[in-house]
């Protein structure tokens, strides 16, 4: 049986250095490929074939110089034999090498940094959502690779809510979160959805970075640009994704915004706010704190102990969307971060942080918004 390793598919990323097939087992040395025109790398996704019943050791040898070396200790890779259920693999990290050990039953096994979210699945999600009652779909424009940038709008209320995910394409949990949001919001028998749709109009961008997603990037678009450093000055040449979404936000205005991400190093779910913007108000800040604290009370998967340091007065980086939207619109805006590792407060030995937990968190985030939508 020939053993092969390939990433030549949607969101694939790996370079094969060597494959050694011995009677004791299979050992492959691999490297993660940098984002195109960028130095960032951490996302991997590949298929190993010809290994049914074998012991397989996969050594990714260039992890020490990746974007977030602090993401590797305590991290476990995901693998799947059916591409539906993604389990934690036996994974170790030492001296810049991530070693993944598998013993697959099937001939082919898929391995990834986190449960992938393909562009095909994105199209399925958008097509399904667009067919639900009351939903408007708009293509904002095309990316540098010529992919559509999709916006879904639903609700009749006056509060203007923007939810957008996956500026960083390797953070696939962000689009799983979007599935939860859309599932709940488009369920006409869900009381939270009924209330929110009466009081607010939702503008939802399930994937801000289709090109990086399909190319198997960690952090950038087709031009190697980090979209979450473009919000002060986006351009059609370098960051059309941000240019188009920000222009649509300028049309509607923004009262509440969530930017959804994954964090490599911190083993917890947390949010970051807009402290340090020049025009910050007490009202904005207290609503942000109320959202954060209510979410912590609602779900044990969210906490406030761990997170990013807060910017000092006037020190906010306005190239980041959360700060830009808070400054530009006076919005209550926030960045939601889910882990690649696990939520260490509630670890799951089989799945770790997972698509199912991301989906549930999306639903819980809507419930918290419903509790305070009148005040937003
Ligand atoms: Zn991110």
């Amino acid at each position: 049986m020939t053993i092969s390793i390939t990433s030549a598919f949607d969101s694939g990323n790996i370079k094969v250095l060597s494959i050694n097939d011995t009677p004791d087992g299979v050992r492959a040395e691999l490297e993660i490929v940098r984002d195109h025109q960028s130095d960032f790398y951490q996302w991997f996704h590949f298929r190993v074939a010809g290994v049914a019943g074998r012991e397989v050791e996969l050594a990714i040898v260039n992890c020490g110089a990746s974007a977030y070396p602090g993401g590797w200790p305590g991290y476990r890779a995901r693998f799947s034999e059916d591409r539906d259920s993604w389990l934690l693999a036996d994974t170790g990290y030492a001296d810049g090498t991530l070693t993944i050990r598998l013993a697959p039953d099937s001939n082919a096994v898929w391995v990834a940094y986190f449960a992938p979210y393909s562009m095909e699945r994105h199209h399925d999600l958008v097509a399904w959502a667009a067919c639900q009652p009351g939903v408007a779909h708009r293509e904002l424009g095309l990316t540098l690779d010529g992919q559509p940038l999709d916006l879904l709008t639903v609700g009749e209320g006056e509060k203007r809510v923007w939810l957008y995910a996956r500026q960083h394409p390797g953070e696939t949990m962000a689009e799983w979160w979007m599935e939860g949001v859309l599932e709940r919001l488009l369920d006409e028998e869900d009381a939270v959805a009924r209330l929110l749709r009466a009081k607010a109009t939702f503008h939802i961008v399930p994937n801000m970075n289709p090109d990086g997603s399909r190319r198997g990037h960690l952090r950038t678009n087709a031009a190697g640009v980090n979209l979450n450093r473009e919000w002060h000055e986006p351009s059609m040449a370098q960051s059309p994704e941000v240019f188009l979404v920000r222009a649509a936000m300028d049309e509607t205005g923004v009262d509440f915004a969530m930017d959804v991400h994954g964090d490599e190093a911190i083993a917890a779910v947390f949010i970051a706010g807009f402290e340090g913007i020049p025009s910050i108000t007490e009202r904005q800040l207290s609503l942000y704190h109320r959202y954060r604290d209510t979410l912590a009370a609602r779900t044990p998967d969210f906490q406030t102990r761990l997170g990013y340091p807060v910017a000092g007065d006037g020190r906010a980086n306005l190239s980041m969307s959360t700060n830009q939207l808070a400054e530009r619109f006076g919005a209550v805006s926030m960045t939601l971060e889910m882990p690649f590792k696990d939520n260490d407060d509630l670890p799951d030995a089989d799945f770790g942080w997972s698509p199912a937990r991301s989906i549930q968190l999306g639903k819980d985030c809507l419930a918290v918004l419903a509790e305070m939508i009148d005040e937003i």
Side-chain angles (χ1 to χ4, degrees), residues 5 229 278 328:
I5 299 177
R229 297 295 183 276
R328 193 179 188 87

Side-chain angles (χ1 to χ4, degrees), residues 11 43-45 75-80 83-88 110-118 121 166 169-177 339-341 351-359:
S11 78
W43 170 263
F44 56 87
H45 180 199
Y75 161 80
R76 287 199 279 166
R78 307 318 197 258
F79 75 99
S80 178
R83 301 210 318 134
D84 182 31
S85 176
W86 290 84
L87 293 153
L88 294 175
W110 284 258
V111 183
Y113 188 37
F114 191 82
Y117 199 104
S118 71
R121 192 177 180 104
R166 248 183 134 182
E171 296 161 10
T172 54
M173 55 287 277
E175 198 161 2
W176 291 110
W177 181 94
F340 282 91
K341 293 177 176 174
F351 297 99
W353 189 257
S354 63
R357 290 168 88 179
S358 308
I359 286 168

Side-chain angles (χ1 to χ4, degrees), residues 138-141 147-151 205 207-208 210 240-241 244-245:
R138 178 175 158 203
E139 189 178 298
L140 291 173
Q147 295 193 82
L149 191 65
D150 292 311
L151 172 68
V205 184
N207 186 337
M208 282 286 299
E241 302 88 349
L244 293 165
V245 169

